[in-house]
């Protein structure tokens, strides 16, 4: 049984989103072992009560292993040596945004070692992560989700089972496509209004009660702040969601034989658009 008093949770990846997720778990009383490729991040969490992992053996001793690392390659590199070493019945929670086919393959490999694996990507941003208020999209076996719920419901207020292994990854990519399509539309809409002498604040205020309203319009400036946080943490642009996730949507569509022409355009333009706007916001 997974419980705060007896379960050791390993958390790998203490970046923009992983760090506040780990802090939410610590604040809720979970016993946490933490690791990150960047020097010093794990030690910073030690001040909050976490145990920095000194190597794979410390992580392999955990009953639950959560990953919030940049991409598919990082997830696979971490799990390849750890899956055979984890205790029988352990759970792996992949919070990273990965391809559905990667999640399915990892779940099958985990099962060979008696380990349950859920693809459980999250959405909501760092502030909601710190409050334990994320949306969690879960793919995997229902019985594994039942066991994982005490941990997942600490980091998320909406933990939703969307299907078998890979389904959570697919829903997260769908979320990213909807979000970035709305963001691209908002940028062009504001360019149009500016060309006619109307400022962004007036446009966003006016559409808040209209059919043009959206999450990105109501949270204008969110991606500027996230870009600043990635800059501060040294995250390359290629690993940021407006670049990496859109290329993953393209790859997932190709693997499934689905034509997504809008995604192709966004994948080639969105990163430059978001980074340029963040730099411009910084100068104001």
């Amino acid at each position: 049984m997974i419980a705060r008093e007896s379960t050791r949770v390993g958390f790998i990846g203490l970046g923009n989103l992983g760090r506040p997720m780990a802090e939410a778990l610590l604040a809720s009383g979970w016993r946490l072992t933490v690791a990150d490729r960047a020097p010093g991040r794990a030690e910073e969490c030690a001040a909050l009560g976490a145990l920095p992992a000194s190597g794979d053996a410390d992580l392999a001793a955990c009953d639950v292993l959560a990953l919030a690392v940049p991409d598919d390659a990082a997830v696979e590199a971490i799990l390849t040596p750890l899956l055979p070493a984890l205790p029988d019945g352990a759970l792996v929670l992949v919070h990273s945004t990965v391809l559905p086919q990667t999640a399915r393959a990892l779940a099958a490999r985990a099962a060979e070692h008696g380990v349950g694996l859920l693809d459980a990507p999250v959405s909501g941003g760092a502030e909601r992560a710190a409050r334990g208020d994320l949306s969690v999209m879960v793919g995997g076996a229902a019985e594994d989700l039942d066991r994982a719920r005490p941990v997942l419901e600490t980091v998320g207020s909406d933990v939703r089972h969307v299907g078998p292994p890979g389904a959570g990854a697919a829903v997260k990519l769908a979320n990213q496509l909807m979000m970035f399509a709305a963001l691209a539309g908002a940028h062009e809409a504001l360019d149009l209004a500016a060309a006619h002498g109307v400022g962004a604040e007036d446009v966003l205020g006016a559409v808040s009660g209209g059919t043009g309203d959206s999450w990105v319009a109501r949270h204008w400036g969110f991606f500027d702040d996230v870009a600043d946080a990635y800059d501060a943490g040294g995250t390359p642009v290629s690993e940021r969601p407006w670049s990496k996730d859109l290329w993953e949507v393209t790859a997932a569509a190709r693997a499934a034989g689905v034509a997504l022409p809008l995604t192709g355009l966004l994948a080639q333009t969105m990163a430059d658009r978001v980074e340029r706007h963040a730099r411009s916001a910084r100068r104001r």
Side-chain angles (χ1 to χ4, degrees):
M1 178 179 175
I2 292 176
R4 287 171 175 76
E5 302 76 22
S6 57
T7 298
R8 170 63 62 175
V9 178
F11 201 104
I12 306 174
L14 302 169
N16 177 54
L17 206 54
R19 170 69 182 265
M21 291 173 71
E23 290 180 357
L25 289 165
L26 286 166
S28 187
W30 289 96
R31 302 161 66 227
L32 222 59
T33 298
V34 294
D36 192 279
R37 63 181 177 177
R41 286 184 180 173
E43 287 70 23
E44 289 173 4
C45 283
L48 304 173
L51 175 68
S54 58
D56 279 0
D58 288 344
L59 297 167
C62 293
D63 310 289
V64 177
L65 197 60
L67 284 78
V69 295
D71 54 23
D72 300 54
V75 172
E76 292 187 280
I78 290 166
L79 290 182
T80 295
L82 284 178
L83 284 179
L86 286 167
D88 190 45
L91 278 175
V92 174
L93 311 176
V94 179
H95 296 306
S96 308
T97 301
V98 299
L99 291 167
Q101 53 266 40
T102 300
R104 288 193 291 271
L106 287 171
R109 286 168 53 192
E112 292 172 0
H113 299 287
V115 173
L117 185 143
L118 299 171
D119 43 300
V122 298
S123 181
E127 288 186 12
R128 283 179 56 188
R131 299 196 301 267
D133 187 31
L134 293 170
S135 296
V136 188
M137 309 146 192
V138 185
E143 56 269 28
D144 287 336
L145 173 56
D146 288 342
R147 291 198 296 137
R149 275 196 181 278
V151 177
L152 293 176
E153 290 179 348
T154 303
V155 298
S157 57
D158 181 12
V159 178
R160 195 171 295 247
H161 190 209
V162 294
V171 172
K172 175 61 187 293
L173 292 179
N175 177 86
Q176 300 303 80
L177 175 54
M178 291 180 186
M179 177 179 68
F180 286 121
L183 182 61
H187 274 297
E188 292 198 0
L190 294 179
D191 285 348
L192 172 66
H196 290 274
V198 184
E201 288 188 7
D202 288 330
V203 176
L204 295 170
V207 304
S208 65
T211 54
D213 187 31
S214 66
W215 185 93
V216 296
R218 278 178 268 116
H219 296 81
W220 197 249
F222 172 87
F223 294 99
D224 299 333
D225 294 339
V226 176
D228 286 348
Y230 280 133
D231 283 346
T235 302
V237 172
S238 61
E239 292 183 4
R240 303 181 186 188
W242 40 87
S243 178
K244 192 270 289 184
D245 290 3
L246 286 168
W247 283 109
E248 292 222 319
V249 175
T250 305
R254 182 177 175 84
V258 179
L260 299 181
L262 175 59
T263 302
L265 178 63
L266 293 173
Q268 295 182 65
T269 59
M270 208 63 229
D272 179 62
R273 180 65 122 155
V274 172
E275 297 292 336
R276 194 156 28 94
H277 192 270
R279 288 195 297 271
S280 172
R282 244 173 259 141
R283 289 195 293 268
R284 287 197 290 268

